[in-house]
């Protein structure tokens, strides 16, 4: 019989306890009236997913009825995934044993992990064949309060944890070593999990973090007084984790390099669901939705490799913003800094769609309206923009794009309301069909335009078109040049920008002032930088001076003008060096007449004495004078203009050589003039009717 009892006990730890205790009572029965109690010590009992060590069962008050049964256990440890947690110093003052079950109704216990140990807490448990459960209440640890419930039925188990007022010290201990440096935090959460054996089957987490402040050691992530609510549900299906999450950022601010996100009155919400395969480091995000009220909303899906570094295998994203000004300030400005787009801001509304494969954008659709673009460096700008941009990395992509605006600004040059249709694919943008752009009272007809981007180099650009009736006065004002008047028209041959250099495929011929201006050998480098450089040769032929000066503050002149600008070199649109000459053509047989005002202004430019002569002689009575020829040249070098005239005089050089009656000569006496001083003289002449004699 004893053998059968031992054999039966070997199949159950509870039966073992019961057998040992029965034997002890049986053999000690004759002395029962002489003893106050008896105890039984057991080194260890192993369950399927737990182990008890240092077990003592004590029966006291044997001479009384009823007797009291007490249980003490040094430690109760669990298997994975909870093997870091142990229950130690278990004391049960209300302990019963019947019907193959152990019950502890009034117990005390401490929780211990590798990093911390709690004070004693209330503990109760119930253990029987294929069904065990326990309850921990009023667990206090670093000011926090925990309640823990666990249950095991056969191979299945469940665990529930409620926590309140978990402070930053305990949270810091729970985090991986050196992953985040907390300064302040208060955490409350409810966690429920179930599983089979050493595997977790599912879990649900409800957590709220308040006043979260701290940062990662590398400074790439930080939070300041952040309030975060998190709902996370996950199920393990044969090694594939399927999850759903809902996160709310309700107050404070956070920094996720390079973005700084202040959480305003409206809550930022993030919802995700997907699958995670730990074995293959694969994350399949079936759905993600990020809502920043009043700023933007992002929805989409993605497949990610989550090894040592994250890589996006595939993603489809859709972004909507009803306030591009706010979106630009929060989400774009940090990426624009220290790039060619630094200082650029946007306003308006936008919808965007992106396709990503193997870390690269493969397709994009961008639709916007009421778009305003501002650039602090005044390089470009747009007002009232609208359109749809379609792009793909496929060379055969043929879906057109359309862009319209009320005003486009390229540096100081404004382009009026226009609409472009173009094709954007791979690294090229090509205009589809001719278009006409309103420009400074006239227009620019674009016959052909093509742009090709290149890695680590400036893009290649080709342009061909025509200019019609563009106001020279508006153009010179926009470029801060000496004011001119009249209209400009002409064909623009192929202009090619390649290898960081702009070149003109032929001669640019401009019809203006009943004459002709020819530009050749045009070349520029760094055109799309903050410091462009330009070389050119310019020839002018028989311009009508009457048309040129009729509405010009400089004063009226009749006759023709020819000349050239050779070896012109400019930096940042300012002349550095050139050799220029403008004067009366040798074959000019037109009337040569000049106003008194023009005489004075020419004298002021060249430093001549004609103005003083006019003010002190009878010549001041005449409004106009006859002249034989006019001419003035400049050789600019090192900021100084070496001046010259139509011919040498006894002292100085003739700027105006008189002829006919009344006639007057203007002689220049200053052969060298500072270029900036010369430009200032021209500006004063063009902006004031008052003539200042120097």
């Amino acid at each position: 019989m004893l053998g059968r009892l031992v054999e039966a006990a070997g199949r159950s730890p509870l039966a073992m306890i019961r057998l040992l205790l029965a034997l002890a009572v049986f053999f000690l029965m004759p002395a029962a009236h002489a003893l106050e109690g008896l105890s039984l010590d057991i080194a260890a009992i192993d369950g399927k997913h737990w182990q008890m060590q240092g077990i003592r069962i004590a029966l006291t008050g044997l001479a009384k009825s009823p007797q009291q049964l007490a249980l003490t256990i040094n430690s109760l440890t669990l298997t994975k995934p909870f093997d870091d947690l142990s229950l130690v110093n278990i004391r049960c003052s209300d302990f019963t044993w019947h019907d193959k079950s152990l019950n502890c109704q009034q117990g005390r216990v401490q929780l211990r992990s590798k990093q911390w140990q709690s004070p004693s807490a209330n503990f109760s448990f119930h253990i029987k064949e294929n069904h065990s459960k326990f309850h921990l209440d009023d667990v206090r640890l670093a000011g926090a309060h925990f309640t823990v419930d666990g249950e095991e039925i056969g191979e299945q188990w469940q665990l529930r944890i409620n926590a309140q007022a978990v402070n930053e010290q305990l949270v810091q201990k729970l985090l991986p070593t050196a992953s985040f440096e907390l300064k302040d935090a208060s955490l409350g959460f409810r966690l429920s999990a179930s599983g089979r054996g050493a595997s977790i089957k599912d879990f649900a987490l409800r957590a709220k973090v308040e006043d979260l402040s701290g940062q990662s050691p590398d400074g790439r992530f930080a939070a300041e007084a952040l309030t975060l609510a998190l709902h996370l549900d996950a199920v393990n299906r044969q090694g594939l984790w399927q999850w759903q999450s809902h996160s709310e950022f309700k107050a404070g601010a956070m920094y996720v390099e390079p973005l700084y996100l202040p959480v305003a009155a409206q809550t930022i919400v993030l919802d995700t669901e997907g699958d995670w395969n730990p074995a293959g480091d694969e994350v399949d995000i079936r759905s993600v939705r990020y809502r920043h009220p009043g700023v933007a909303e992002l929805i989409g899906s993605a497949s990610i490799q989550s090894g040592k570094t994250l890589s996006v295998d595939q993603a489809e994203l859709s972004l909507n913003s009803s306030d591009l000004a706010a979106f630009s300030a929060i989400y774009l400005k940090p990426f624009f800094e220290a790039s060619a787009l630094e200082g650029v801001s946007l306003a308006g509304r936008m919808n965007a769609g992106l396709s990503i494969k193997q870390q690269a954008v493969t397709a994009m659709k961008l639709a916007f309206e009421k778009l305003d673009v501002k650039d602090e460096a005044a390089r470009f700008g747009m007002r009232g923009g609208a359109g749809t941009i379609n792009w793909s990395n496929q060379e055969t992509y043929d879906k057109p794009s359309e862009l319209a605006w009320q005003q486009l600004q390229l540096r100081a040059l404004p382009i009026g309301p226009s609409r472009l249709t173009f094709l954007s694919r791979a690294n090229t943008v090509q205009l589809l069909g001719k278009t006409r752009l309103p420009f400074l009272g006239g227009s620019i007809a674009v016959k052909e335009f093509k742009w090709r981007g290149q890695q680590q180099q400036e893009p290649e650009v080709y342009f061909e078109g025509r200019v019609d009736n563009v106001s020279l006065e508006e153009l010179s004002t926009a470029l801060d040049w000496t004011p001119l008047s009249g209209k400009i028209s002409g064909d623009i041959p192929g202009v090619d920008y390649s290898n960081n250099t702009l070149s003109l495929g032929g001669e640019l011929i401009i019809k203006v002032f009943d004459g002709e201006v020819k530009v050749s050998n045009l070349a520029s480098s760094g055109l799309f930088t903050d410091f462009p450089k330009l070389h050119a040769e310019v020839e002018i032929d028989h311009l009508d001076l009457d048309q040129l000066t009729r509405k010009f503050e400089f004063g009226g002149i009749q006759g023709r003008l020819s000349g050239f600008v050779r070896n012109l070199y400019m930096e940042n649109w300012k002349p550095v060096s050139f050799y220029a000459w403008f004067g009366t053509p040798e074959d000019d047989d037109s009337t040569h007449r000049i106003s008194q005002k023009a005489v004075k202004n020419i004298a002021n430019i060249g430093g001549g004495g004609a103005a003083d002569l006019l003010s002190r002689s009878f010549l001041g009575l005449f409004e106009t004078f006859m002249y034989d020829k006019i001419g003035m040249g400049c050789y600019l070098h090192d900021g100084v203009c070496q001046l010259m005239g139509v011919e040498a005089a006894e002292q100085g050089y003739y700027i105006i050589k008189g002829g006919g009656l009344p006639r007057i000569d203007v002689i220049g006496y200053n052969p060298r003039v500072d270029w900036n001083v010369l430009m200032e003289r021209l500006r004063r002449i063009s902006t004031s009717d008052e003539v200042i004699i120097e």
Side-chain angles (χ1 to χ4, degrees):
M1 179 178 179
L2 181 59
R4 289 197 299 271
L5 288 173
V6 172
E7 181 182 358
R11 295 194 296 266
S12 169
L14 295 179
M16 173 69 77
I17 295 174
R18 184 171 185 176
L19 172 62
L20 294 175
L21 189 56
L23 290 173
V25 174
F26 176 78
F27 286 114
L28 294 173
M29 188 63 71
H33 293 286
L35 296 175
E36 285 296 324
L38 58 86
S39 64
L40 175 65
D41 293 330
I42 304 172
I45 298 177
D46 292 329
K48 290 182 179 179
H49 309 301
W50 50 269
Q51 182 186 63
M52 289 183 180
Q53 293 179 321
I55 307 157
R56 167 170 284 196
I57 302 175
L59 184 64
T60 61
L62 294 179
K64 301 177 182 179
S65 181
Q67 296 85 13
Q68 289 195 357
L69 190 64
L71 171 68
T72 61
I73 304 172
N74 287 343
S75 66
L76 170 63
T77 58
L78 306 174
T79 58
K80 291 183 178 181
F82 306 107
D83 52 331
D84 184 46
L85 184 66
S86 299
L87 283 70
V88 299
N89 300 326
I90 301 172
R91 302 286 186 270
C92 283
S93 58
D94 185 356
F95 170 67
T96 60
W97 163 40
H98 60 84
D99 296 332
K100 297 183 180 181
S101 67
L102 297 177
N103 295 278
C104 175
Q105 298 299 326
Q106 296 180 10
R108 301 289 288 176
V109 69
Q110 291 177 298
L111 271 70
R112 176 187 294 168
S113 75
K114 295 178 181 179
Q115 297 178 325
W116 48 267
Q117 179 172 321
S118 73
S120 293
N122 295 328
F123 178 58
S124 64
F125 68 84
H126 174 79
I127 300 176
K128 66 178 182 179
E129 293 289 345
N130 296 320
H131 188 188
S132 303
K133 60 182 179 180
F134 70 90
H135 174 72
L136 281 165
D137 190 17
D138 197 27
V139 179
R140 297 177 180 270
L141 182 63
H145 297 261
F146 292 85
T147 299
V148 183
D149 289 278
E151 185 173 10
E152 180 185 30
I153 302 176
E155 290 288 326
Q156 307 293 327
W157 55 263
Q158 291 183 338
L159 180 68
R160 294 179 296 276
I161 303 175
N162 289 341
Q164 297 179 351
V166 181
N167 61 27
E168 73 280 1
Q169 297 177 356
L170 183 55
V171 175
Q172 185 73 72
K173 291 180 180 180
L174 296 174
L175 292 174
T177 305
S179 63
F180 196 80
E181 299 172 356
L182 278 173
K183 295 181 180 178
D184 194 11
S186 177
L187 169 66
F189 68 87
R190 299 194 311 274
L191 172 66
S192 62
S194 67
R196 180 183 179 88
S199 300
I200 301 177
K201 179 182 177 182
D202 59 60
F203 69 87
L205 175 65
R206 305 292 183 266
K208 184 175 182 180
V209 185
E210 297 180 301
D211 297 323
L212 175 63
S213 297
Q215 67 177 31
S216 60
D218 58 8
R220 300 179 65 181
F221 178 81
E224 182 180 2
L226 183 68
T227 295
L228 166 65
L230 171 66
H231 293 182
L232 176 61
D233 297 284
V235 178
N236 187 345
R237 300 189 185 280
Q238 298 180 346
L240 181 67
W241 280 98
Q242 298 178 341
W243 90 89
Q244 291 181 330
S245 73
H246 176 79
S247 304
E248 297 182 356
F249 302 89
K250 298 184 177 182
M254 59 182 170
Y255 174 78
V256 182
E257 189 181 37
L259 300 177
Y260 175 75
L261 300 175
V263 182
Q266 293 180 312
T267 300
I268 297 176
V269 178
L270 174 64
D271 291 303
T272 67
E273 65 175 74
D275 303 330
W276 173 45
N277 182 2
D281 290 327
E282 298 173 354
V283 180
D284 182 17
I285 304 175
R286 293 194 302 273
S287 172
V288 59
R289 185 181 184 187
Y290 176 82
R291 288 170 289 166
H292 191 158
V295 178
E297 180 179 52
L298 175 71
I299 60 175
S301 61
S303 296
I304 299 173
Q305 290 291 329
S306 59
K308 293 183 179 180
T309 59
L310 291 178
S311 61
V312 180
D313 289 342
Q314 180 273 336
E316 296 290 335
L317 302 173
S318 176
L319 175 67
N320 173 58
S321 175
S322 59
D323 187 352
L324 272 178
F327 178 77
S328 172
I330 296 174
Y331 293 97
L332 296 183
K333 183 178 178 181
F335 292 98
F336 287 173
E337 291 179 354
S339 74
L341 295 176
E342 184 171 8
V344 175
S345 60
L346 308 177
R349 296 193 294 269
M350 178 189 71
N351 290 307
L354 290 176
S355 296
I356 301 174
K357 290 184 180 180
Q358 302 302 321
Q359 297 283 87
V361 177
T362 58
M364 177 183 69
K365 180 177 181 180
L366 176 64
F368 51 85
E369 56 184 5
K370 296 184 178 180
L371 176 66
D372 290 344
V373 182
K374 295 182 180 179
D375 178 20
E376 294 178 357
R379 294 165 296 180
F380 58 89
M382 179 183 290
R383 182 172 57 81
T388 301
I389 297 175
N390 300 300
W391 175 86
S392 170
N393 66 345
Q394 300 297 318
E395 294 285 352
T396 57
Y397 186 71
D398 60 357
K399 190 172 184 179
S401 301
E402 188 174 75
L403 175 63
W405 62 81
Q406 292 301 311
Q407 182 169 326
L408 181 67
Q409 196 81 18
L410 300 177
R411 291 196 177 272
L413 302 178
I415 298 175
S418 304
R419 183 179 298 274
L420 302 176
T421 302
F422 56 95
L423 187 62
S424 176
R425 61 188 180 192
N427 60 340
T428 64
V429 176
Q430 183 174 358
L431 187 67
L432 297 176
K434 300 177 182 179
T435 189
R436 186 173 296 273
L437 309 177
F439 180 64
L440 299 177
S443 65
I444 299 176
V446 184
K447 297 179 181 178
E448 187 175 350
F449 176 85
K450 190 172 183 178
W451 178 95
R452 178 181 293 274
Q454 298 189 106
Q455 290 185 352
Q456 300 179 347
Q457 294 185 41
E458 290 187 357
E460 293 182 352
V461 182
Y462 180 82
F463 172 82
E464 184 178 344
R466 176 177 173 80
V467 176
D468 289 303
N469 297 317
V470 171
S471 169
L472 271 174
E473 184 175 359
E474 294 182 38
L475 178 63
S476 57
T477 300
L479 296 177
D480 196 26
W481 291 350
T482 301
L484 301 172
S485 63
K487 301 289 184 179
I488 182 172
S489 299
D491 288 322
I492 304 174
V495 178
D496 184 73
Y497 184 81
S498 179
N499 296 324
N500 302 332
T501 301
L502 181 144
S503 58
L504 188 66
E507 296 179 336
L508 173 62
I509 299 176
I510 303 171
K511 303 293 184 180
V512 63
F513 305 132
D514 197 32
E516 186 177 272
V517 177
K518 184 187 301 180
V519 180
S520 61
N521 298 326
L522 177 65
S524 173
S525 61
L527 184 63
F528 297 103
T529 70
D530 291 330
F531 197 72
K533 300 176 182 179
L534 182 140
H535 298 265
E537 303 280 340
V538 181
E539 298 282 342
I540 66 172
D541 186 30
H542 285 76
L543 301 187
D544 185 346
L545 282 172
D546 186 37
Q547 293 184 34
L548 178 63
T549 62
R550 186 180 301 160
K551 296 182 180 180
F552 194 41
E553 295 291 342
F554 187 82
I557 305 175
Q558 295 179 14
R560 294 283 175 168
L561 182 71
S562 294
F564 56 80
V565 181
R566 295 174 182 165
N567 299 321
L568 172 63
Y569 173 56
M570 303 177 72
E571 291 182 351
N572 199 22
W573 309 111
K574 304 293 183 183
V576 175
S577 63
F578 61 77
Y579 172 46
W581 169 260
F582 303 101
T584 303
E586 292 294 334
D587 60 350
D588 180 22
D589 58 1
S590 64
T591 300
H592 292 177
R593 186 173 294 276
I594 184 170
S595 70
Q596 184 178 142
K597 184 176 183 179
V599 170
K600 291 180 179 180
N601 284 327
I602 291 175
N604 287 333
I605 293 173
D612 185 50
L613 176 63
L614 286 171
S615 65
R616 291 192 292 171
S617 71
F618 74 96
L619 294 176
L621 300 175
F622 294 94
E623 289 294 326
T624 62
F625 301 92
M626 300 297 292
Y627 71 89
D628 180 37
K629 52 185 174 181
I630 295 175
M632 194 170 189
C634 168
Y635 172 63
L636 178 64
H637 181 69
D638 288 341
V640 176
C641 190
Q642 179 72 44
L643 297 175
M644 60 201 76
V646 294
E647 61 182 66
E650 185 176 343
Q651 290 184 345
Y653 49 89
Y654 284 100
I655 300 175
I656 301 177
K657 183 73 171 178
L661 293 175
R663 61 168 286 171
I664 190 170
D665 296 327
V666 176
I667 300 175
Y669 297 106
N670 298 330
R672 293 169 58 85
V673 179
D674 182 274
W675 175 257
N676 293 327
V677 172
L678 184 60
M679 291 298 99
E680 180 59 31
R681 290 177 183 175
L682 290 173
R683 274 190 289 269
R684 285 206 305 263
I685 291 170
S686 65
T687 57
S688 174
D689 288 334
E690 180 183 358
V691 178
I692 301 174
I693 307 298
E694 294 183 352

